[in-house]
Amino acid sequence: MKVFFFAVIIGLLALIKVNALGYICKRHIVIKHGDRCRFYNGAPNPDYRIKFSEIYHLNPNIDCDDLKSGSKICLDIDSESKKGKERFNYSEYRIPKDYNPETYTCKTLAKKLKSSVLELEQTNFPSLNCRGFKRNLKIRYRADGKYYPDFTNSTAVNYNYGKEYTKFLKSNY
């Protein structure tokens, strides 16, 4: 009986882990102490330049003003395999034409869509502005609420700002 109970628990934990995963990240950067999103966005070498919209879209939970050393930024997702396509699935919601700006806020919208304000803003960057909605604006969101990338089989990329930019960063930040 104990063996059966143990097997059921292990099976449930495995199921929970699989269902808790977001989309599949193929390549990522590991944040170093002092890194900022603007460093990646402004890198002079185009091979290492990442647009803010790409950072936010693939990493909607990242706080670019407070990057934690050792955390990861997803650069590329698996959108080709069957499993990758299934996991990178967004739903759409339209802001009603007759919404009331007094009661219809990013906070109420995030609650309705089971997301955080940060996740909605960054998934829809730059079109969603929480200071004032556009009527009929399409909002992309994850119906499953799983905005965190799955880094299980992701490859770490050695990010290189470039020699001149590194000197600039060291002297100014």
Side-chain angles (χ1 to χ4, degrees):
M1 186 66 159
K2 288 182 183 180
V3 173
F4 175 74
F5 180 72
F6 184 70
V8 169
I9 296 296
I10 295 298
L12 287 173
L13 289 174
L15 185 62
I16 289 168
K17 182 178 191 264
V18 168
N19 286 333
L21 300 175
Y23 49 88
I24 300 168
C25 184
K26 288 172 35 177
R27 296 180 319 121
H28 67 275
I29 297 170
V30 178
I31 303 298
K32 295 180 227 102
H33 179 72
D35 280 0
R36 300 286 179 267
C37 289
R38 68 178 175 269
F39 298 170
Y40 305 123
N41 186 58
N45 183 339
D47 293 338
Y48 294 103
R49 194 173 303 137
I50 308 164
K51 295 178 186 176
F52 280 119
S53 58
E54 292 169 356
I55 293 172
Y56 292 150
H57 181 69
L58 296 178
N59 306 276
N61 296 0
I62 225 138
D63 182 354
C64 279
D65 295 326
D66 189 26
L67 294 176
K68 304 289 184 215
S69 185
S71 59
K72 299 173 183 174
I73 293 180
C74 184
L75 301 175
D76 189 19
I77 59 157
D78 175 6
S79 59
E80 295 157 11
S81 74
K82 183 180 178 187
K83 190 176 183 181
K85 285 177 185 174
E86 287 172 3
R87 291 228 202 135
F88 195 69
N89 186 12
Y90 280 87
S91 299
E92 287 186 355
Y93 174 82
R94 274 197 191 275
I95 303 292
K97 292 178 182 176
D98 60 345
Y99 83 97
N100 179 351
E102 305 273 328
T103 58
Y104 206 84
T105 65
C106 266
K107 193 173 181 177
T108 58
L109 179 62
K111 186 175 181 179
K112 177 184 183 91
L113 301 178
K114 297 180 177 101
S115 300
S116 72
V117 171
L118 180 69
E119 290 164 344
L120 289 181
E121 282 182 311
Q122 294 191 172
T123 299
N124 295 281
F125 179 83
S127 61
L128 177 62
N129 180 349
C130 284
R131 289 179 222 64
F133 292 123
K134 294 178 187 172
R135 297 177 195 284
N136 212 28
L137 176 69
K138 262 195 279 187
I139 304 292
R140 297 176 70 232
Y141 70 99
R142 301 253 332 183
D144 62 7
K146 298 171 185 164
Y147 289 90
Y148 288 95
D150 173 6
F151 293 101
T152 305
N153 295 314
S154 183
T155 304
V157 173
N158 187 11
Y159 193 82
N160 182 359
Y161 301 114
K163 290 178 190 174
E164 294 303 314
Y165 199 57
T166 301
K167 284 181 198 173
F168 170 77
L169 293 174
K170 285 182 180 176
S171 63
N172 290 293
Y173 292 101

